[in-house]
Amino acid sequence: MNNFQNNQQPSTINTQVGLRSFLTKMYGYMTLAVLVSAVTVYLAMNVFMTQINAAFGQHPLIFLIIFMVSMFAMIGGIQVNATRNPAISFSLLMLFAVVFGVEMSVTLALYTKATIFGAFVAAGAVFATMAVIGTTSKRDMSKLGTHLIAALIGLLVASVVNMFLQSAMISYVFSYIGVLIFAGLSMWDANRMRDMYLKYGDQVSSTGLAVTGALQLYLDFVNLFLYFVQIFAGSSRD
């Protein structure tokens, strides 16, 4: 009995070491993507704003379509190449962060620096808390993920309807709902990626899996941030 336990111990230690390495990669890639977007936003708002406004002002619909198509193409490319070619997947993640940063700069130009900074700090604190809970929790969160995705779809549909109603109060309420949804998704994605590594980490590229997780967590954080921007801006107007 003791010999069996001793033989199992190295395997357990190796699994924990591998998991820590995977999580370090995943959160490192995610943090780098956020920093790349932050630098892109800064440059877009302070150096290239005239050119971006000119392009967006002349052809807003075309500009938006190009961004949407390119982002979906990059998301697909990241996921397809994650296990086949992690280097390409990582490069696409960084490119995606740049493109998303340019798109965010158009929206963030409408808000004050204080609002943007406050929203970034709040999003960082909420994301870090939920990611830690998701990474360390032993509970099965699969059902939670299903509910959160359903809630997100409902929020997106309601937001489209509100584009026609143009109700500032509804948008403000939706911002709080959005924060709750993406806070939950941050926890769920962190938990899901940890479990995915424990199940398939020895069968696929851990780097590719880390890039896939970094993309999901990046999207969670950025959406948290954007909803916090709306909340902070609404609070300052009050």
Side-chain angles (χ1 to χ4, degrees):
M1 186 70 166
N2 290 335
N3 289 336
F4 177 77
Q5 290 177 339
N6 290 335
N7 290 335
Q8 288 295 97
Q9 188 175 8
S11 176
T12 302
I13 293 175
N14 289 337
T15 299
Q16 292 302 317
V17 170
L19 178 60
R20 283 196 295 270
S21 176
F22 166 74
L23 293 175
T24 300
K25 281 184 183 178
M26 183 176 70
Y27 286 113
Y29 293 159
M30 176 262 176
T31 302
L32 181 59
V34 170
L35 291 175
V36 168
S37 287
V39 172
T40 302
V41 169
Y42 175 82
L43 292 175
M45 293 178 65
N46 294 277
V47 180
F48 303 107
M49 183 55 73
T50 301
Q51 294 87 334
I52 293 174
N53 284 340
F56 187 79
Q58 292 176 4
H59 309 286
L61 184 59
I62 295 177
F63 193 76
L64 181 60
I65 290 175
I66 291 175
F67 268 113
M68 294 301 294
V69 171
S70 62
M71 283 192 295
F72 278 113
M74 282 184 283
I75 289 175
I78 291 170
Q79 294 176 337
V80 168
N81 289 287
T83 55
R84 300 178 182 177
N85 195 325
I88 292 178
S89 188
F90 175 78
S91 299
L92 285 173
L93 175 62
M94 295 301 105
L95 181 60
F96 179 82
V98 171
V99 173
F100 208 98
V102 173
E103 184 181 12
M104 280 194 296
S105 69
V106 178
T107 300
L108 295 179
L110 303 174
Y111 303 97
T112 65
K113 292 181 180 179
T115 294
I116 295 172
F117 178 76
F120 187 85
V121 172
V126 171
F127 176 85
T129 300
M130 302 308 289
V132 168
I133 294 174
T135 302
T136 58
S137 176
K138 304 301 181 182
R139 297 182 61 183
D140 180 10
M141 297 186 181
S142 55
K143 291 184 179 180
L144 174 62
T146 301
H147 295 320
L148 288 170
I149 292 175
L152 177 60
I153 293 173
L155 177 62
L156 293 175
V157 172
S159 297
V160 171
V161 173
N162 192 48
M163 289 175 62
F164 298 96
L165 299 177
Q166 295 185 345
S167 170
M169 178 57 68
I170 292 177
S171 295
Y172 190 61
V173 172
F174 282 177
S175 298
Y176 282 95
I177 296 175
V179 164
L180 292 176
I181 290 174
F182 280 102
L185 285 174
S186 298
M187 179 177 64
W188 177 61
D189 281 327
N191 182 268
R192 182 170 61 92
M193 294 310 300
R194 183 205 64 190
D195 290 347
M196 194 174 295
Y197 172 81
L198 292 175
K199 289 181 181 179
Y200 308 109
D202 58 344
Q203 303 174 31
V204 299
S205 167
S206 62
T207 299
L209 195 61
V211 173
T212 301
L215 171 65
Q216 298 298 326
L217 295 172
Y218 168 87
L219 291 172
D220 293 336
F221 174 81
V222 168
N223 279 285
L224 258 179
F225 165 66
L226 292 174
Y227 277 117
F228 267 121
V229 166
Q230 296 178 34
I231 291 174
F232 278 46
S235 299
S236 63
R237 281 196 294 269
D238 295 340

